[in-house]
Amino acid sequence: MGTASVESVLEVNDLKTVFHTQDGTVHAVNGVSFALNAGELLAVVGESGSGKSVTMMSLLQLLPSPPADIVSGTVDFGGANLLELTPAEIRQFRGARIGFIFQDPMTSLNPVFTVGFQIMEPLREHMGMSKRAARDRAIELLELVGIPSASERLNDYPHQFSGGMRQRVMIAIALACDPQVLIADEPTTALDVTVQAQILELIRDLRQKLGMGIIWITHDLGVAAGIADRVIVMYGGFIVEHAPVDELFHNPRHPYTMALLHTLPGHDGGEASRLRSIGGQPPDLIQPPLSCPFAPRCAHAFERCGRENPPLRALRDAHDVACWWDTDKGEEWS
Amino acid sequence: MTTIAETGGDTAAGAPLVQVQDLEMYFPIYKGVLRRQVGSVRAVDGLSFDIRRGETLGLVGESGCGKSTCGRALLRLYEVTGGRITFEGRDIAELAGNALRDMRPRMQMIFQDPQACLNPRMTVGSIISEPLDEHHVATGEEKRQRVRELLEAVGMNPEFANRYPHEFSGGQRQRIGIARALALAPDFIVCDEPIAALDVSIQAQVVNLLQDLQEKLGLTYLFISHDLSMIRHIADRVAVMYLGKIVELAPVEELFNAPKHPYTKALLSAVPVPDPAVEAKRERIILTGDVPNPANPPAGCRFCTRCPDAIDRCSVEEPVWRNLGPAKGSNGTVEDHFVACHRVE
């Protein structure tokens, strides 16, 4: 297969997704390109409406169409373009080679089936396992994600589990068929901090054991700092910055990333009496994306920002920024 | 060394505005065809604390620990099961009817979900002026003027009074909720997770607004949140709740730098820090298991089922709420540090 120096398992190129609504066309994802390497954890951070979930749902054609419409792009996974597959073909990938964990474990598990049935379903469907083999594997999976007395709990229904335990079940289902890629959409947002800490610890542990590529969507910069190898920052349907985790937090280069890190209350003392806030509102996605989406709220914005959309350009090793302002030199990028 | 005079409040930080003593709030559980009461959920079970005039008391804890119930009970939005809530020397747990109604303008609430707490069929102007009508404070031109002032106070254009809530973003709706809470010029506001539903970049705007208003109007806040870093920023003192009890209460820096209760320690270590260098080498206390059912709490200390430091005594004897002595508070004041744990010296 590929000849790239680091082996990428998933490559997304120029993905554009829009929603056709009564009020007009919502430009949710505007030309997003990135690659996921084998065994790495890529965090995607951004606020609500920044397009992070829509991007990932588009990859697996999970969005109902209409209203969603994938206008352009390719998603290269194991030699196939996922966006061109028929519904029957993409079903061979979903849950089998690409696992998905959703935000709310309460609504993504079916309340009328036992947890055991829901874990065994992908095993029987994709791997053709017998009932007994699937059952053994399900017990193994529940033990892997740290659910005590797993064999008895297979017959329980989702409502008999707590929120953290339900999320563990979701992780077990996503891992059932040994996927090469795991997409986790805000998997800890609905959980309490001490339970979130348990789940993050579990993921750190599983990564070492299983070695799959993980895309982790979150709005919590602290979570991204704790588990990611690389971070993508999204705003208004664009990737505005992309860097290795240390680089992003210690040397952010996009004005939005910098402002976002400054709005957080200082974790080392909180001496400042006021928080620095980002003025204004997130962009209205009905407007066609012809200018920098952050320009109206940006401290460095100048005339070009309102006229032309900055492309994602490489600053240095694996650090890309989409901005007309060169933060290093303090002048317009040339 | 602690004396009764010290624990009794009236220290440099200001006299207590709200005093809570052994507050209990139980919700009955009914079962069977006859709907007999078979038990009760002890959402709030014996809380005692003071809130001083002009301070922000942070109340943290995980979902289901009773922090919202506590906030609502303080405002007498519930009939409390037991205990005393003294507001400026008057016990409002006992009040009823018009006497209670007369107290209402003094204490208000800001809700978590700015979408759900505003009536979509009312204009912003009528939402904000509804408390003024209810309490016959202002009418006609005076009322319209007051609404304009309030909108300006929360940083919104006074012309927005004729618009409807759906025309605004989450952050702006929360500002409308704040304007409504301010309409009757209250002394005390319970902020129940006011920023939980907002995006990070908008949270800072709302928190700054709340702090500006506190300074300008001399407000007292009970700030309920599960976001510990925001609590550290805004609060003067912090109370940590677990399963219906306050387990620790201390000045904010003391609590974050020298937590005493094992639950507080675990909670603080679970908060992700937005710095990969810190995250890579910090020590985490990962709690096992889940929060027990508040209808059937464990005997002894309520945290004993998950506590890494638990000893036999913890599951038998309930730890008493005791004062560890003075600690450094904000602005150089001296405040007390309270904890309920057998293992703390």
Side-chain angles (χ1 to χ4, degrees):
Chain A
M1 257 184 52
T3 50
S5 55
V6 192
E7 200 188 329
S8 63
V9 282
L10 181 77
E11 253 188 77
V12 179
N13 269 310
D14 196 34
L15 180 74
K16 284 189 183 140
T17 304
V18 298
F19 290 88
H20 300 292
T21 67
Q22 278 187 346
D23 301 330
T25 304
V26 176
H27 303 267
V29 177
N30 305 309
V32 161
S33 306
F34 66 91
L36 177 72
N37 298 327
E40 78 164 345
L41 198 149
L42 175 67
V44 181
V45 301
E47 301 175 75
S48 47
S50 63
K52 48 195 197 309
S53 291
V54 174
T55 304
M56 301 312 154
M57 306 268 275
S58 301
L59 302 188
L60 286 175
Q61 300 184 24
L62 284 172
L63 296 165
S65 177
D69 185 6
I70 299 171
V71 191
S72 79
T74 58
V75 177
D76 186 28
F77 177 77
N81 180 1
L82 295 186
L83 298 183
E84 282 175 355
L85 300 180
T86 62
E89 286 167 338
I90 190 101
R91 214 170 290 139
Q92 300 304 313
F93 287 87
R94 289 184 196 145
R97 298 174 63 189
I98 301 179
F100 214 114
I101 304 170
F102 296 92
Q103 174 169 355
D104 188 350
M106 177 70 111
T107 49
S108 46
L109 288 169
N110 192 329
V112 301
F113 291 109
T114 63
V115 158
F117 177 86
Q118 295 184 60
I119 302 177
M120 284 150 65
E121 195 179 9
L123 292 168
R124 291 176 47 82
E125 187 73 22
H126 292 300
M127 321 258 287
M129 281 190 182
S130 69
K131 229 176 183 168
R132 164 162 294 166
R135 196 183 154 80
D136 290 345
R137 172 86 176 131
I139 294 171
E140 207 180 292
L141 284 163
L142 283 185
E143 279 166 357
L144 182 72
V145 296
I147 291 182
S149 50
S151 54
E152 290 146 45
R153 302 228 61 181
L154 277 186
N155 299 324
D156 285 351
Y157 288 86
H159 74 265
Q160 290 166 294
F161 289 78
S162 67
M165 285 294 162
R166 269 186 226 130
Q167 200 55 290
R168 284 171 194 261
V169 171
M170 281 301 297
I171 295 173
I173 295 174
L175 296 177
C177 302
D178 273 329
Q180 288 158 277
V181 172
L182 180 67
I183 301 175
D185 187 356
E186 305 245 12
T188 58
T189 304
L191 306 175
D192 279 318
V193 276
T194 60
V195 180
Q196 168 173 287
Q198 290 173 2
I199 299 285
L200 293 179
E201 198 66 16
L202 171 70
I203 291 288
R204 283 190 195 100
D205 183 44
L206 288 177
R207 274 187 70 191
Q208 290 180 342
K209 282 187 196 158
L210 307 175
M212 67 204 136
I214 302 176
I215 297 175
W216 188 283
I217 303 175
T218 180
H219 68 271
D220 187 332
L221 291 158
V223 171
I227 58 165
D229 299 315
R230 283 192 299 144
V231 182
I232 283 175
V233 182
M234 288 192 72
Y235 187 82
F238 291 93
I239 293 180
V240 295
E241 187 159 11
H242 159 229
V245 65
D246 286 310
E247 175 86 2
L248 188 99
F249 281 90
H250 294 139
N251 191 18
R253 277 293 164 258
H254 194 282
Y256 173 64
T257 317
M258 290 192 269
L260 202 57
L261 287 168
H262 279 305
T263 59
L264 300 173
H267 59 271
D268 46 16
E271 295 303 322
S273 61
R274 278 179 70 86
L275 295 174
R276 279 210 246 168
S277 63
I278 309 178
Q281 302 295 330
D284 178 6
L285 298 172
I286 298 252
Q287 306 299 326
L290 300 173
S291 58
C292 174
F294 190 58
R297 304 172 78 186
C298 181
H300 297 295
F302 52 98
E303 176 267 334
R304 191 177 186 179
C305 307
R307 178 159 56 80
E308 218 179 323
N309 205 343
L312 200 63
R313 68 194 160 92
L315 264 188
R316 53 183 81 92
D317 250 8
H319 191 161
D320 309 321
V321 173
C323 184
W324 291 123
W325 181 256
D326 189 329
T327 318
D328 291 329
K329 294 196 190 116
E331 58 183 42
E332 184 179 344
W333 175 58
S334 51
Chain B
M1 226 188 71
T2 39
T3 61
I4 292 164
E6 270 177 43
T7 54
D10 285 284
T11 42
L17 179 70
V18 182
Q19 285 172 292
V20 180
Q21 241 172 43
D22 303 317
L23 180 68
E24 286 172 350
M25 186 65 230
Y26 296 176
F27 295 98
I29 305 169
Y30 299 105
K31 271 218 171 112
V33 268
L34 297 174
R35 313 311 293 168
R36 267 194 251 267
Q37 187 178 345
V38 294
S40 52
V41 175
R42 292 147 83 174
V44 167
D45 200 2
L47 303 186
S48 300
F49 58 92
D50 293 348
I51 305 173
R52 312 230 168 85
R53 191 178 284 281
E55 84 165 345
T56 301
L57 179 70
L59 186 58
V60 296
E62 300 178 90
S63 47
C65 72
K67 53 191 195 303
S68 290
T69 306
C70 170
R72 286 161 178 258
L74 288 195
L75 298 183
R76 268 302 302 280
L77 298 179
Y78 295 127
E79 288 297 321
V80 297
T81 312
R84 284 155 52 91
I85 307 160
T86 318
F87 186 90
E88 281 190 328
R90 284 184 78 182
D91 186 357
I92 57 170
E94 299 288 308
L95 291 183
N98 279 333
L100 180 61
R101 198 179 154 79
D102 289 342
M103 294 298 284
R104 292 250 182 247
R106 312 287 308 279
M107 37 194 199
Q108 291 290 321
M109 185 152 183
I110 298 168
F111 297 90
Q112 170 170 2
D113 188 349
Q115 173 91 57
C117 75
L118 304 177
N119 188 335
R121 292 184 181 80
M122 287 166 75
T123 62
V124 168
S126 49
I127 287 171
I128 297 175
S129 60
E130 198 178 12
L132 302 172
D133 295 337
E134 275 299 311
H135 289 275
H136 313 292
V137 175
T139 50
E141 184 52 36
E142 192 193 349
K143 185 169 87 179
R144 276 189 291 278
Q145 183 57 32
R146 179 86 182 122
V147 169
R148 277 196 290 274
E149 279 169 26
L150 286 163
L151 279 170
E152 264 169 16
V154 297
M156 287 181 72
N157 187 339
E159 303 302 315
F160 290 169
N162 296 322
R163 300 200 186 175
Y164 287 88
H166 75 263
E167 297 173 63
F168 296 95
S169 66
Q172 288 172 314
R173 280 190 209 134
Q174 195 57 285
R175 287 171 191 266
I176 298 168
I178 294 171
R180 175 178 59 186
L182 293 175
L184 293 166
D187 299 296
F188 175 54
I189 299 183
V190 172
C191 310
D192 188 1
E193 303 256 15
I195 53 166
L198 305 176
D199 269 321
V200 194
S201 72
I202 307 296
Q203 286 185 352
Q205 294 177 9
V206 172
V207 167
N208 282 341
L209 172 67
L210 286 171
Q211 283 185 308
D212 290 345
L213 291 170
Q214 179 170 43
E215 210 168 290
K216 222 185 311 174
L217 307 172
L219 298 169
T220 304
Y221 291 142
L222 176 69
F223 195 91
I224 302 171
S225 180
H226 65 269
D227 182 343
L228 285 140
S229 46
M230 204 53 93
I231 284 280
R232 183 175 198 169
H233 175 78
I234 198 170
D236 298 311
R237 294 188 304 147
V238 182
V240 181
M241 269 187 93
Y242 183 80
L243 208 61
K245 295 249 184 214
I246 295 183
V247 296
E248 189 163 6
L249 176 77
V252 61
E253 283 312 308
E254 168 89 356
L255 188 99
F256 279 84
N257 293 327
K260 293 288 191 291
H261 198 282
Y263 177 65
T264 314
K265 289 181 192 170
L267 196 63
L268 292 178
S269 91
V271 180
V273 177
D275 182 342
V278 176
E279 277 285 309
K281 54 177 192 265
R282 69 200 285 241
E283 214 178 300
R284 293 186 187 80
I285 305 167
I286 306 287
L287 294 178
T288 50
D290 286 299
V291 182
N293 183 352
N296 183 20
C301 172
R302 300 201 163 184
F303 187 53
C304 70
T305 52
R306 301 172 77 196
C307 181
D309 302 336
I311 49 174
D312 292 346
R313 186 183 171 196
C314 298
S315 54
V316 184
E317 189 188 331
E318 191 169 333
V320 290
W321 181 237
R322 62 203 164 94
N323 192 343
L324 294 178
K328 203 171 133 276
S330 54
N331 310 326
T333 54
V334 174
E335 304 272 6
D336 294 320
H337 189 152
F338 295 90
V339 74
C341 180
H342 292 307
R343 298 300 308 270
V344 176
E345 296 304 320

